[in-house]
Amino acid sequence: MNEIKLFFDFLSKLTLKDLDFHFTNVVNLYTKPISAWKKIILNNDNEKTYNLFLLVVIYYSVIIFFLIDNSKFVIPITILELFLTLIPFSFLFFPFIFFRNKWCKNLKSENLFKLIFVLKIQFNIPLIALVLLVNWTKMESIFILIDNYVILILGSIIIIPPIILKINIYKKIIWIITNYIFQMLFLYLLVLFASNVTDSDLLADKITLQTPTLEYDDFHLKYNYSDIIIDDKYFINIITVKNNQAYFRNSQFANNRLVLKLMKIDSADLKKFIKKLKNLEKQNITSIDSDHRKTIIKLTEMDTLRIRFDKLFYKDLKFTSTIKAKFKSNSEIFKLHNKLLRYYDSIYHSQQFINKIVTTKNEFSILSNDNNYIVIYKMNEPEATQLKNKILALRNKLITREKKARFLFNIYIKPVEYVTDILDL
């Protein structure tokens, strides 16, 4: 109740001279930030610290007023921002209480809350400016700054409170490290909680600032890359031989692993056959079976592999057909993936294409059961190769973008990775 009374007293006493004074204080948040932070956390005069805190609240509300279309949301957004300050306050509170009692007994807990709020607003304003700049220029590269800036905010919240206190450097370092540990524990618990709530992604979508890197990360997690897995140089058919006649049974996507497996089998059989020939040659035996194919891959195994891969393939096809990208760079690669998937789907189900393939000489074949053969043909489809090369080239650019966007994050998370590596977690 005292704080509400202070709020109305603050408003009732405002004069033009006061406004000029307060405007100077707002400017000092950026021109003399350390001095402003010390005023908030070190000053035990409730009225002075509260007035400066209220000034920042009003300053933030005015900015929100000019940014949003409906002014009735200004107060709710400001209150929400105050409420969200409880999140960093909650994990900084325990280290604050412990080290305050140990080294700085005159500090007040409420001043920590005020400082965190002021820090958030200070850093949020340039962040809002960057977002507005993106909306105006449509330059996606600015999001690299935004991704790094968000980590800068996280780091500043745990570093600044101890840094501005009048304690020696070693105590400051210990305090900062403790803040970092509590922040990481909080984030871990937050992720753990979210993973156990089925619709937590709905809330995450609302509170997370969407960037090109985050959008592509989401795609990467959901996409199976079945088009990239398919080998664009080979085509697989299952052929049934009866009464010296060959009959087409089915075709199968030639994914890289399957082609490599079949090649190894063919190579191993051929080596065994050559070894057998050499042994027979030593014995002067010339009448031998000329077919080196001995290893049998059952049709049931091939069918299982086909059904499993088809499921991934058509899941990817549906996904890329329905996904709506917010950012141009991501939209380009999503469309290329979809185009390549549709192309593969068209040729693997084209009887005309299959008829053309089976008339060519096969590369090698593997024996299957019941007079069936797994036949691998060389395929030359420039369109598929060109599409795949475009995707891979664009993918390399997006990986480079991700490295730049995650530059500060990778540094920030390094201590956690180091500890988990040592503990083998």
Side-chain angles (χ1 to χ4, degrees), residues 43 55 80-81 95 113 118 123 126 146 199 201 222-223 238 286 331 347 399 411 417 421:
N43 199 328
L55 177 67
L80 177 64
E81 196 66 58
F113 178 88
V118 170
F123 282 98
I146 292 173
D199 54 355
D201 56 318
K222 294 174 182 176
Y223 193 60
I238 310 294
T286 56
S331 177
I347 64 174
I399 289 172
I411 295 173
E417 290 177 346
D421 285 343

Side-chain angles (χ1 to χ4, degrees), residues 326-343:
K326 182 179 178 182
F327 301 100
K328 184 180 178 183
S329 56
N330 294 334
S331 177
E332 186 179 351
I333 198 168
F334 296 167
K335 287 176 181 176
L336 285 171
H337 276 299
N338 182 254
K339 190 173 181 180
L340 182 55
L341 288 165
R342 284 189 287 106
Y343 183 75

Side-chain angles (χ1 to χ4, degrees), residues 86-103:
L86 290 171
I87 295 175
F89 179 75
S90 65
F91 62 74
L92 292 180
F93 179 72
F94 294 106
F96 180 83
I97 293 296
F98 178 80
F99 291 119
R100 180 193 67 182
N101 294 337
K102 198 172 180 63
W103 297 324

Side-chain angles (χ1 to χ4, degrees), residues 262-278 290-295 363-366:
L262 297 174
M263 280 182 174
K264 285 181 178 178
I265 290 170
D266 181 66
S267 177
D269 275 357
L270 187 58
K271 284 178 182 177
K272 289 176 185 176
F273 181 66
I274 291 170
K275 187 177 180 181
K276 181 182 176 182
L277 283 179
K278 287 180 179 177
S290 61
D291 194 347
H292 73 274
R293 294 167 296 197
K294 297 298 178 188
T295 305
E363 287 293 298
F364 58 91
S365 58
I366 307 297

